[in-house]
Amino acid sequence: MILIHMHKIRFVLSFLFWLNFFGNVSFAQTQNPSKKEIRKATKRAVQYLNSEKFEKSLETARWSLHYATVINDDYLIATSYNLIAANFEQLSEVDKAISLYEKGLTFANNSENDTIKNFINNNLGNVYCFEKKQYEKGIEFYKKSLEYSQKAADTSQIVFTKLNIAWAYFDIDQYENGLPYLEYINKYQAKFSDKSLIIILNMLNGMYSGHKGDFAKGENYFLTAINLGNKLGNKGDLSFSHQEYSKFLFKKGEYKKAYENLVIYNKISDEIYNDDLLKKANVAGINLELDEYKREIDKVETEIELQSQSLHKSRVIVILFIIVFLVLLLLLVSLYKNFNFKKKINYDLTLANEQLIIAKDKAIEASQAKTQFLSTISHELRTPLYGVIGITNLLLDEHKELAKSPHLGSLKFSARYLLSLVNDILQINKIEENKIILESLAFNVSDEIHLVKNALSFIAQSHKNIISVKIDPAIPEYLIGDKLRLAQILMNLVSNALKFTNNGEVILSANLVKVEDNLHHIEFQVSDNGVGIDAADQDRIFEKFVQVGRNDNDYQGTGLGLAIVKRLLGLFNSQITLESQVGIGTTFIFTIAFEHDSNKTNEIINNIKVDLSSGQLFKVLVVEDNKINQTITKKIIEKNNCSCFIVDDGLQALDVLEKDVFDIILMDINMPLISGFETTRKIRSKGIHTPIIALTAFAKDEITEEAIEAGMNDILIKPFESLKLFQVMNEQIKKTKTAVY
């Protein structure tokens, strides 16, 4: 008689008892059952299996498999196959059981439920170990099952799986390999196991005690297992306990008792597997096999239908291919006819490309020449402007009585404006590429407007015009923004209005039109009663180098003013509009949102101050070849109580540094004999760490990389504010004193 290990089935399927679904489900369905109903059915199938009612268990599992397949639920399909396979295993249909377990494992692996993967791997371990006697393969399945239970951190499942592993090792007399698993179960069984497991656990302890020769302890374990089996009515575990106890007694030499226990084992097995029960279960098994065949037939029919559809599509594709082939043939003929023509065209294009390459090279050369020209013009204009602004500042400092002079103020402002205008004209391409960033400075709108008015008073007088200013009193005293760009916009618009107006009036007004949080939207208007602009020309006046409605002898200008205005307003996210009639006049209107924040304004104003709190006197070496620049720079330095020593070129600077020590060096770049860069390299090569600040009229972005490479610490572009110079000087001297070389 072929017998199997009943315990392992109970272990694997017991998980379904914690599915909290209760009640009966009718199998007569007018519509597909829910997942809940299918789970209830699997629960009943487990109950039937544990009661050795294989026929009912198989019929119920068959029902659940059918509807789990209908609703395409991988977890429920895997659970159903697991149940059916467990029944066949109990009925000693081992190969069928393995096939069904493997099917179930395929669906389980497609699901996200690790528990069903754990159970099916465990069951395959049971079959291969205790039925096929392929223990190595079976133990691999057990260990895979153990991985899933450990992943889920389910100690009860870990205990059950380790019990099966210990039993497998004991069956092949590898007691020492199985001992760690048995010790683990002994440690945790009281907390994480049921009474059924205690039967087999006592049996395994008895087997190990017998192996070690401790027959008294082994006898006690086996009797405990048999008593529990009788008490609980668990025939499967009871039969195994009698079988192993019989082996134990035989080893002990008690042959009569060994025979008696073997008889009990066979009797219990006969009760479990009576012929009538097996026949009924076999009928249920055949029905299940028929279901499997039907599913395979349906699958084949579906594949045949798909192949038929694919064949139909293939025929259509062949027809389309023939049509496409014919079309391609016609195209090939057409291409062949056009080949000679295209060959000639390609030859012409090759010649044209060569000419384009030549033109491109010339354009690059022209662009480089333009860049060099702009750089030279920038340097040559900034140098005299440094003198104008510097001398103006010196006059204001040395002659306090001129501080309120509108003429000197206008001169200073005009020089600053001219510097800004020169920079913007030379960098108009950068404006268009959004490479200019607006500054955030605290300023008074009224002061800036009156500076514009005073600066343009000469132009107004020459055209016998008056400039009227109207400022909304609601505008805060201080706003935050780029006042120099605003002044440049207003200067361009007002000067443009004055040039095109004679014996008239130009009105410059500013009105607060909207307040959003801390943003104050100021609307500026520049109105005149001059010649006006024709409607046809109003869209063109903001283009570069465009001058309309005038004779060249009457007015002067580059035609860049309004173009610059439009691009600068773009930086403010603003647009300009105009209203004009020929012979009546023109009004330009734009709105800019400026920030108003008292705390931030105070912070900006405070940051402008130069930190000379230390009262320390610095020795400054100025390397500059321009005599005017020498005078201005020296006055600025000495005015702030610092000593200044001037040399005309880099070679003199090197000689002086051999004999004396300075706190800081102000270095011009473009000098005779050797440049400021080369002079700096030679200074650094001598191990002199004195901070060097480049004072240059070149654009900063043109020289920054070379200045850093040469060893310069910072760059100031001429002309510059004296406050800014001393801020940079203090900062660099402080850094040098704290640096470690």
Side-chain angles (χ1 to χ4, degrees):
M1 180 179 292
I2 300 175
L3 300 175
I4 66 171
H5 294 273
M6 289 294 296
H7 168 75
K8 57 183 178 294
I9 301 302
R10 176 170 291 108
F11 153 54
V12 170
L13 298 176
S14 63
F15 80 98
L16 291 169
F17 283 100
W18 51 256
L19 295 173
N20 294 317
F21 302 105
F22 301 96
N24 296 320
V25 179
S26 174
F27 290 169
Q29 298 287 336
T30 59
Q31 59 183 6
N32 291 338
S34 65
K35 291 183 180 181
K36 182 178 180 181
E37 291 173 321
I38 297 173
R39 285 173 178 167
K40 287 182 178 179
T42 57
K43 177 185 175 182
R44 281 199 304 278
V46 172
Q47 292 172 336
Y48 290 140
L49 176 61
N50 287 335
S51 301
E52 288 90 31
K53 297 177 181 179
F54 304 121
E55 178 187 10
K56 288 186 176 182
S57 178
L58 284 169
E59 288 176 350
T60 307
R62 174 192 174 195
W63 183 93
S64 65
L65 176 61
H66 172 74
Y67 285 109
T69 304
V70 169
I71 66 174
N72 195 29
D73 188 303
D74 289 329
Y75 166 72
L76 291 176
I77 293 173
T79 302
S80 301
Y81 271 121
N82 186 42
L83 273 166
I84 295 167
N87 275 277
F88 277 115
E89 183 184 355
Q90 289 290 68
L91 297 171
S92 296
E93 296 282 352
V94 177
D95 292 331
K96 287 183 182 180
I98 291 174
S99 175
L100 291 165
Y101 278 136
E102 289 176 346
K103 279 188 177 182
L105 187 58
T106 300
F107 286 97
N109 289 334
N110 291 334
S111 73
E112 296 181 355
N113 189 297
D114 289 336
T115 302
I116 187 62
K117 298 173 189 176
N118 165 34
F119 294 152
I120 296 178
N121 275 286
N122 188 90
N123 285 352
L124 283 167
N126 289 337
V127 176
Y128 279 105
C129 283
F130 300 111
E131 306 298 342
K132 303 292 282 186
K133 302 302 180 182
Q134 298 177 17
Y135 285 94
E136 183 177 351
K137 188 171 184 178
I139 290 172
E140 286 181 7
F141 278 110
Y142 280 143
K143 291 182 177 179
K144 189 68 177 177
S145 171
L146 192 60
E147 289 179 12
Y148 286 116
S149 24
Q150 289 172 339
K151 182 180 177 182
D154 190 333
T155 309
S156 61
Q157 293 182 30
I158 294 172
V159 167
F160 280 122
T161 305
K162 289 194 174 185
L163 179 127
N164 283 336
I165 296 174
W167 194 350
Y169 277 124
F170 285 8
D171 254 22
I172 55 176
D173 294 328
Q174 294 185 14
Y175 284 93
E176 298 309 315
N177 288 337
L179 179 60
Y181 297 96
L182 180 62
E183 290 175 340
Y184 181 92
I185 304 163
N186 284 327
K187 183 176 181 180
Y188 292 105
Q189 57 85 17
K191 187 175 182 181
F192 297 107
S193 65
D194 57 20
K195 294 180 180 179
S196 174
L197 181 143
I198 303 301
I199 299 172
I200 299 301
L201 178 59
N202 277 280
M203 182 194 80
L204 292 177
N205 280 315
M207 292 171 67
Y208 185 76
S209 298
H211 166 71
K212 300 299 287 186
D214 192 344
F215 294 112
K217 185 182 290 187
E219 180 85 13
N220 184 55
Y221 278 127
F222 275 116
L223 292 177
T224 301
I226 291 170
N227 289 334
L228 282 172
N230 286 318
K231 182 179 180 181
L232 297 175
N234 191 326
K235 293 182 180 180
D237 293 342
L238 181 62
S239 69
F240 290 130
S241 298
H242 279 292
Q243 184 186 34
E244 294 299 333
Y245 186 38
S246 172
K247 295 177 183 178
F248 173 83
L249 291 171
F250 188 85
K251 183 177 181 179
K252 189 178 177 182
E254 298 182 15
Y255 304 114
K256 182 178 180 181
K257 289 180 68 178
Y259 174 76
E260 290 172 351
N261 276 273
L262 187 60
V263 170
I264 295 172
Y265 161 72
N266 287 323
K267 180 181 178 182
I268 295 172
S269 300
D270 288 341
E271 290 175 358
I272 296 174
Y273 299 101
N274 63 74
D275 291 339
D276 185 54
L277 184 66
L278 293 176
K279 287 178 182 178
K280 291 180 180 180
N282 188 48
V283 171
I286 291 172
N287 289 333
L288 277 165
E289 290 182 6
L290 290 174
D291 287 345
E292 285 295 304
Y293 293 147
K294 185 176 184 302
R295 273 189 283 273
E296 290 297 324
I297 291 170
D298 291 342
K299 183 178 178 182
V300 171
E301 289 178 348
T302 301
E303 290 178 354
I304 292 173
E305 177 64 23
L306 291 174
Q307 289 176 357
S308 175
Q309 293 176 4
S310 177
L311 180 61
H312 176 72
K313 291 178 181 178
S314 298
R315 290 173 181 171
V316 173
I317 290 171
V318 170
I319 294 171
L320 290 175
F321 175 78
I322 293 172
I323 294 171
V324 170
F325 176 76
L326 293 174
V327 171
L328 288 174
L329 187 60
L330 292 173
L331 288 174
L332 184 61
V333 173
S334 177
L335 288 172
Y336 178 76
K337 289 181 179 180
N338 292 325
F339 175 74
N340 291 330
F341 176 75
K342 287 187 176 181
K343 186 176 180 181
K344 182 179 181 303
I345 294 296
N346 287 336
Y347 177 75
D348 293 340
L349 286 174
T350 301
L351 292 177
N353 284 337
E354 291 176 356
Q355 293 174 353
L356 287 174
I357 291 171
I358 295 171
K360 178 185 174 184
D361 292 339
K362 290 182 178 179
I364 292 173
E365 290 176 5
S367 176
Q368 291 173 346
K370 176 186 173 183
T371 301
Q372 182 61 41
F373 171 75
L374 292 177
S375 176
T376 303
I377 288 296
S378 173
H379 180 270
E380 294 305 317
L381 288 175
R382 285 193 183 103
T383 299
L385 283 174
Y386 176 59
V388 173
I389 293 175
I391 291 172
T392 303
N393 288 332
L394 291 176
L395 286 173
L396 289 172
D397 290 338
E398 294 176 359
H399 301 277
K400 303 297 184 182
E401 70 276 8
L402 297 177
K404 296 183 180 180
S405 170
H407 304 296
L408 197 57
S410 296
L411 175 62
K412 180 179 179 181
F413 182 80
S414 296
R416 289 175 56 209
Y417 163 71
L418 180 58
L419 174 64
S420 176
L421 182 61
V422 167
N423 289 339
D424 286 341
I425 291 174
L426 296 176
Q427 297 180 15
I428 194 166
N429 290 331
K430 293 183 180 179
I431 298 175
E432 293 173 345
E433 295 173 4
N434 295 322
K435 291 184 178 179
I436 290 181
I437 300 174
L438 296 178
E439 295 182 347
S440 292
L441 302 171
F443 70 96
N444 182 281
V445 172
S446 177
D447 289 346
E448 295 302 317
I449 289 176
H450 281 91
L451 281 172
V452 171
K453 176 184 176 181
N454 294 335
L456 299 176
S457 60
F458 176 77
I459 299 176
Q461 292 172 7
S462 65
H463 288 262
K464 298 180 181 180
N465 294 322
I466 61 172
I467 302 176
S468 300
V469 173
K470 297 179 181 179
I471 300 174
D472 187 347
I475 297 175
E477 181 181 4
Y478 284 102
L479 296 173
I480 298 174
D482 195 325
K483 64 177 182 177
L484 192 59
R485 304 297 178 189
L486 173 62
Q488 186 176 344
I489 292 169
L490 295 176
M491 287 281 285
N492 272 304
L493 292 175
V494 175
S495 64
N496 193 68
L498 290 170
K499 291 175 184 178
F500 289 90
T501 304
N502 289 295
N503 298 310
E505 181 183 15
V506 174
I507 303 173
L508 174 54
S509 63
N511 293 287
L512 179 62
V513 293
K514 184 170 60 174
V515 177
E516 292 179 339
D517 296 329
N518 63 337
L519 291 179
H520 286 58
H521 295 256
I522 312 298
E523 181 186 83
F524 297 90
Q525 292 191 15
V526 178
S527 303
D528 64 66
N529 51 6
V531 296
I533 304 171
D534 188 87
D537 295 324
Q538 289 180 12
D539 291 334
R540 299 176 53 238
I541 62 172
F542 294 105
E543 297 176 8
K544 292 183 289 186
F545 307 110
V546 171
Q547 299 171 336
V548 298
R550 73 185 201 180
N551 297 320
D552 292 338
N553 295 329
D554 296 334
Y555 311 105
Q556 295 180 357
T558 63
L560 284 173
L562 293 179
I564 292 174
V565 166
K566 182 178 180 179
R567 285 157 178 77
L568 288 176
L569 284 173
L571 300 178
F572 285 102
N573 294 320
S574 177
Q575 295 180 341
I576 189 168
T577 59
L578 68 92
E579 300 170 359
S580 184
Q581 292 184 17
V582 176
I584 296 177
T586 303
T587 300
F588 289 94
I589 305 169
F590 63 90
T591 301
I592 297 178
F594 290 109
E595 186 179 358
H596 173 61
D597 186 330
S598 299
N599 294 330
K600 192 171 182 180
T601 299
N602 293 332
E603 182 181 345
I604 292 173
I605 293 172
N606 292 334
N607 287 339
I608 295 175
K609 297 178 181 179
V610 180
D611 181 16
L612 294 174
S613 58
S614 64
Q616 185 175 358
L617 300 180
F618 298 136
K619 286 180 65 178
V620 183
L621 174 62
V622 177
V623 188
E624 170 67 70
D625 64 315
N626 186 289
K627 298 300 181 182
I628 296 176
N629 291 351
Q630 287 179 357
T631 301
I632 295 170
T633 305
K634 184 175 182 180
K635 287 285 186 181
I636 292 173
I637 293 172
E638 291 179 345
K639 176 178 174 293
N640 288 275
N641 299 322
C642 294
S643 62
C644 177
F645 190 84
I646 296 177
V647 294
D648 295 329
D649 55 59
L651 294 178
Q652 292 182 33
L654 292 169
D655 290 339
V656 169
L657 289 170
E658 290 284 349
K659 306 167 186 176
D660 204 350
V661 177
F662 296 88
D663 294 301
I664 195 161
I665 302 170
L666 304 182
M667 180 77 67
D668 188 22
I669 299 297
N670 192 18
M671 295 186 298
L673 302 180
I674 61 173
S675 70
F677 295 135
E678 186 60 29
T679 302
T680 301
R681 291 190 187 95
K682 290 182 179 298
I683 291 172
R684 295 301 185 221
S685 68
K686 293 178 180 293
I688 298 173
H689 301 293
T690 303
I692 300 175
I693 300 175
L695 299 185
T696 178
F698 287 112
K700 188 172 184 178
D701 56 357
E702 295 178 9
I703 65 168
T704 298
E705 185 175 349
E706 188 172 0
I708 294 173
E709 185 274 333
M712 291 181 168
N713 301 87
D714 209 335
I715 301 170
L716 278 177
I717 305 301
K718 301 174 185 175
F720 50 81
E721 297 288 343
S722 59
L723 292 177
K724 179 65 175 177
L725 171 63
F726 278 90
Q727 280 181 329
V728 175
M729 286 175 56
N730 286 334
E731 180 182 349
Q732 293 301 330
I733 291 171
K734 186 182 295 184
K735 284 183 180 178
T736 303
K737 287 182 178 180
T738 57
V740 178
Y741 297 101

